[in-house]
């Protein structure tokens, strides 16, 4: 069976990049250590003072609360380009993510390219390749590569179907 170019690109029609945000790494590590310490303390309190088990339960609940605050400190930005749109998600884990920006490339974008970061919306940590997207109502910057730029240019020219 001969696999055509359209068949292969049909499954590769979405491109995804990720940019981890590590500005809260120290707070995360402190809360991780505190949570582990509280869990160990809760187990020791349960063993030593079995009669007063509610103290151990309270300490365990405190460790769960620390975990709740900890999990929102580490996240990554996910950039997805496909079907003529750029989507930027803030992803905390596999289950929890929120949509930051969704832009239709052909109709909403007025200019794009690798510039100095512009606008008040910056998604990611600067590593030298800052891709700036200018729309009529907003300007935002993301950390992208040249392939992301090429796909944006491809969709901007009006080619929305890879299978042709």
């Amino acid at each position: 069976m001969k696999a055509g170019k359209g068949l292969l690109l049909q499954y590769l029609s979405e491109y995804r990049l990720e940019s981890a945000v590590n500005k809260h790494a120290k707070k995360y590590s402190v809360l991780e250590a505190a949570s582990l310490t509280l869990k160990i303390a809760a187990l020791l309190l349960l063993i030593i003072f079995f009669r007063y088990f509610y103290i151990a339960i309270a300490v365990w609940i405190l460790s769960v609360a620390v975990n709740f605050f900890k999990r929102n400190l580490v996240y990554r930005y996910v950039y997805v380009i496909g079907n003529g749109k750029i989507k930027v998600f803030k992803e905390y884990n596999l289950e929890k993510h929120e949509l930051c920006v969704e832009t239709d490339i052909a109709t909403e974008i007025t200019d794009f390219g690798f510039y100095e970061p512009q606008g008040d919306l910056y998604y990611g940590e600067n590593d030298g390749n800052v891709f700036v997207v200018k729309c009529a109502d907003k300007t935002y910057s993301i950390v992208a590569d040249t392939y992301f730029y090429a796909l944006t240019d491809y969709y901007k020219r009006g080619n929305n179907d890879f299978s042709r």
Side-chain angles (χ1 to χ4, degrees):
M1 181 175 157
K2 183 180 174 185
K5 181 175 145 184
L7 180 64
L8 175 64
L9 290 175
Q10 175 182 350
Y11 298 107
L12 301 174
S13 64
E14 250 186 24
Y15 183 62
R16 175 183 166 114
L17 284 175
E18 296 181 1
S19 175
V21 177
N22 296 319
K23 63 183 175 183
H24 300 294
K26 288 182 182 180
K27 289 179 190 175
Y28 180 85
S29 63
V30 167
L31 289 176
E32 177 75 20
S35 172
L36 182 61
T37 304
L38 287 170
K39 286 179 181 167
I40 292 170
L43 288 173
L44 289 175
L45 284 170
L46 186 63
I47 292 170
I48 296 171
F49 301 112
F50 184 72
R51 180 179 240 178
Y52 304 108
F53 66 92
Y54 53 87
I55 297 172
I57 291 174
V59 173
W60 188 271
I61 290 172
L62 184 61
S63 76
V64 170
V66 169
N67 269 338
F68 179 76
F69 290 114
K70 174 192 72 165
R71 71 178 178 161
N72 290 332
L73 290 176
V74 176
Y75 57 90
R76 66 179 165 253
Y77 286 111
V78 178
Y79 322 122
V80 178
I81 187 168
N83 299 325
K85 295 182 185 241
I86 295 176
K87 296 178 184 175
V88 179
F89 294 97
K90 190 175 186 180
E91 188 174 89
Y92 296 96
N93 55 35
L94 292 176
E95 295 87 29
K96 184 179 180 189
H97 60 275
E98 57 188 56
L99 179 68
C100 297
V101 174
E102 183 175 358
T103 305
D104 186 71
I105 297 171
T107 59
E108 295 179 19
I109 294 180
T110 58
D111 188 23
F112 59 92
F114 292 102
Y115 306 119
E116 290 295 319
Q118 299 175 0
D120 55 351
L121 302 174
Y122 187 74
Y123 303 108
E125 291 188 357
N126 190 354
D127 71 345
N129 292 331
V130 179
F131 185 70
V132 178
V133 178
K134 296 179 183 177
C135 301
D137 58 343
K138 64 184 174 270
T139 299
Y140 60 92
S141 304
I142 59 177
V143 178
D145 58 2
T146 54
Y147 188 66
F148 197 90
Y149 174 82
L151 284 175
T152 306
D153 187 47
Y154 182 80
Y155 283 120
K156 184 66 179 166
R157 285 185 276 127
N159 301 323
N160 291 330
D161 187 13
F162 280 111
S163 62
R164 286 189 260 158

